[in-house]
Amino acid sequence: MKKRKICIVTGTRAEYGLLFRIMKEIQADDQLDLQVIATGMHLSPEFGLTYKQIEEDGFIIDEKIEMLLSSDTPVAIAKSMGIATLGFAEAFRRLKPDILVLLGDRFEIFSAAQTALVMRIPVAHISGGELTEGAIDESIRHSLTKMSHIHFTANEEYTRRVIQLGEQPNRVFNVGDLGVENIRKMSFLSKQELQEFLGCNLEKLFLVTFHSTTLEVETAEEQMKNLLSAFDFFTDYNIVFTKSNADTDGRRINELIDEYTAANPERVKSFFSLGQLRYLSTMKYCSIVIGNSSSGIIEAPALVKPTINIGDRQKGRLKAGSIIDCAPRTMEIVNSIQKALSDEFQQLLTQIDLEYDGAMASELIKNHLSLTNLNSIIKKSFYDIS
């Protein structure tokens, strides 16, 4: 019997961390043939050549698609998307996948989806229906929904929203969240192991991830400077930064992080990529998660950690009571951190209801990818909600 060829595309460290268990599930199934395409930041020396981690984890990378220009202006990002489209066309021609699996909302993934659309390759999309009104990711994510044929959502509200976009209900599956599944199944590093790697004490620690804010009024540089100024009010806390992605102005954010790290070497550490195990272990032991990453919205509450969510990048996402939204201004950030550290707020953490959960998401996704009839799903009809 011919094996079904399932092709997974990953362009960032965060994507790979979420896709890892799905890839293992597919790899272990005798009826499936896993194909892996690495692109984007995975192949960039500037961002740590993280494709090596994929190979160290026992996966064969079938195609490496170079696409990033050495600039993060809007023009450079648009040109990178064009280069990616050329690369995906050649890769899909060689690999001839039966179905393509894409996660999230990044521009690299958009290029893969539009190429698959033209080449009539079915697409399965993970994490549709979510909102991030402060970034271009919002439009990319909903566009991916319309270019996809099978949908794996994180909860009932997002399932409803994908159907609202006209997708057939019998092709939308609420499987739970992959990030929370990682937490449920992960064997974390011990505090001593993590302290030795980070080179700092974990007792009073901020974990910070701040990305470009493509649709907000204040520039990413202005917001980042305000955040760094806020940290000067908490000099008794150590800080671990994970750096920004290759988005518009991402390099400028990373330059500011490097400058702040160099000026405060005794209490500040920065990394392009901690890897999923080290990142979530750091989150487990830190005092607060700070920034505008989705991990502060999804994973942090599952680890019972407070989140300071800065600006509108994650506006629209369902949020637990452990998340404090604040404007990207220095004193508002300072006040929010003080609130999160207060005894009163710490007591509330144990009583929050999670908006995201998941224990078997990867297995469920693999099963649907294996069993779905692919012969009749390319031609879609719009589903109208009566």
Side-chain angles (χ1 to χ4, degrees):
M1 183 177 176
K2 181 184 176 183
K3 290 186 177 182
R4 176 169 289 187
K5 293 185 288 187
I6 300 178
C7 182
I8 288 185
V9 177
T10 173
T12 71
R13 62 187 189 263
E15 276 175 6
Y16 172 65
L18 296 172
L19 290 166
F20 170 81
R21 293 185 188 278
I22 300 172
M23 293 164 65
K24 284 295 185 184
E25 289 278 350
I26 296 170
Q27 189 181 56
D29 193 314
D30 292 338
Q31 303 304 312
L32 303 175
D33 180 13
L34 174 66
Q35 299 176 330
V36 179
I37 296 178
T39 187
M41 292 191 296
H42 282 309
L43 308 181
S44 170
E46 181 181 357
F47 293 96
L49 293 173
T50 50
Y51 79 87
K52 294 180 180 179
Q53 183 62 58
I54 301 174
E55 294 177 334
E56 289 172 8
D57 288 338
F59 298 111
I60 295 172
I61 298 176
D62 297 275
E63 296 280 349
K64 295 175 183 175
I65 298 176
E66 297 276 5
M67 59 167 290
L68 288 182
L69 301 179
S70 58
S71 171
D72 56 14
T73 66
V75 171
I77 297 296
K79 287 182 177 180
S80 293
M81 293 174 70
I83 295 169
T85 301
L86 295 172
F88 282 119
E90 289 298 320
F92 295 159
R93 181 180 63 82
R94 287 189 289 267
L95 295 178
K96 296 179 172 57
D98 293 308
I99 188 167
L100 186 66
V101 180
L102 305 175
L103 183 147
D105 47 35
R106 288 189 54 79
F107 61 85
E108 304 97 330
I109 303 307
F110 184 88
S111 296
Q114 69 175 6
T115 307
L117 176 70
V118 174
M119 297 180 72
R120 293 182 291 182
I121 299 169
V123 175
H125 182 223
I126 303 168
S127 295
E130 303 181 18
L131 301 181
T132 48
E133 296 176 7
I136 62 170
D137 304 4
E138 165 90 355
S139 298
I140 292 175
R141 186 184 305 105
H142 298 328
S143 298
L144 288 169
T145 291
K146 296 311 301 176
M147 289 189 282
S148 300
H149 307 85
I150 306 173
H151 311 273
F152 300 115
T153 57
N155 57 38
E156 284 299 328
E157 179 161 335
Y158 297 153
T159 299
R160 177 190 58 77
R161 191 170 288 128
V162 169
I163 295 170
Q164 181 181 327
L165 286 167
E167 298 303 295
Q168 296 293 329
N170 64 346
R171 296 292 185 216
V172 186
F173 305 102
N174 175 13
V175 297
D177 187 82
L178 292 167
V180 179
E181 180 189 20
N182 275 340
I183 290 170
R184 301 290 185 231
K185 295 181 177 179
M186 182 170 288
S187 297
F188 293 94
L189 295 176
S190 69
K191 186 174 289 189
Q192 181 177 349
E193 289 173 321
L194 187 60
Q195 283 185 166
E196 289 176 358
F197 173 80
L198 294 177
C200 66
N201 192 287
L202 305 180
E203 293 305 319
K204 302 177 77 173
L205 180 69
F206 297 154
L207 175 60
V208 184
T209 305
F210 191 83
H211 293 299
S212 175
T213 53
T214 48
L215 296 180
E216 293 194 45
V217 175
E218 301 95 342
T219 65
E221 179 174 2
E222 180 182 354
Q223 292 193 17
M224 191 65 197
K225 286 180 176 178
N226 289 342
L227 174 58
L228 295 175
S229 295
F231 290 147
D232 290 338
F233 287 78
F234 301 92
T235 55
D236 55 336
Y237 277 79
N238 292 322
I239 301 170
V240 170
F241 287 100
T242 58
K243 292 187 177 180
S244 180
N245 289 330
D247 299 312
T248 303
D249 296 328
R251 286 178 173 85
R252 181 54 185 149
I253 291 174
N254 291 339
E255 288 174 359
L256 291 170
I257 291 173
D258 287 341
E259 291 169 7
Y260 194 78
T261 303
N264 301 275
E266 73 288 346
R267 69 183 187 95
V268 181
K269 310 293 179 181
S270 60
F271 303 87
F272 271 116
S273 175
L274 284 171
Q276 194 78 350
L277 175 59
R278 291 192 184 109
Y279 180 73
L280 290 177
S281 295
T282 305
M283 185 178 289
K284 175 181 172 67
Y285 297 119
C286 76
S287 302
I288 311 177
V289 177
I290 301 173
N292 59 9
S293 169
S294 62
S295 61
I297 309 298
I298 297 171
E299 284 94 334
L303 285 169
V304 199
K305 294 296 176 179
T307 297
I308 308 301
N309 178 54
I310 300 170
D312 288 342
R313 190 172 190 271
Q314 299 297 334
K315 184 178 180 181
R317 281 196 194 273
L318 297 176
K319 298 187 183 80
S322 58
I323 296 164
I324 301 171
D325 292 323
C326 76
R329 301 182 183 91
T330 297
M331 290 315 301
E332 293 198 36
I333 297 170
V334 170
N335 292 337
S336 296
I337 292 174
Q338 290 173 338
K339 177 180 177 180
L341 293 173
S342 69
D343 291 339
E344 182 181 8
F345 195 82
Q346 291 292 315
Q347 291 173 2
L348 290 175
L349 292 177
T350 59
Q351 305 169 24
I352 63 170
D353 294 323
L354 296 179
E355 296 289 352
Y356 305 87
D357 212 335
M360 298 177 59
S362 296
E363 182 180 351
L364 291 171
I365 289 172
K366 188 270 293 186
N367 289 341
H368 285 299
L369 292 172
S370 177
L371 298 174
T372 298
N373 183 351
L374 302 180
N375 295 325
S376 59
I377 65 172
I378 285 291
K379 189 175 181 180
K380 301 201 305 183
S381 58
F382 195 94
Y383 180 80
D384 284 309
I385 300 176
S386 56

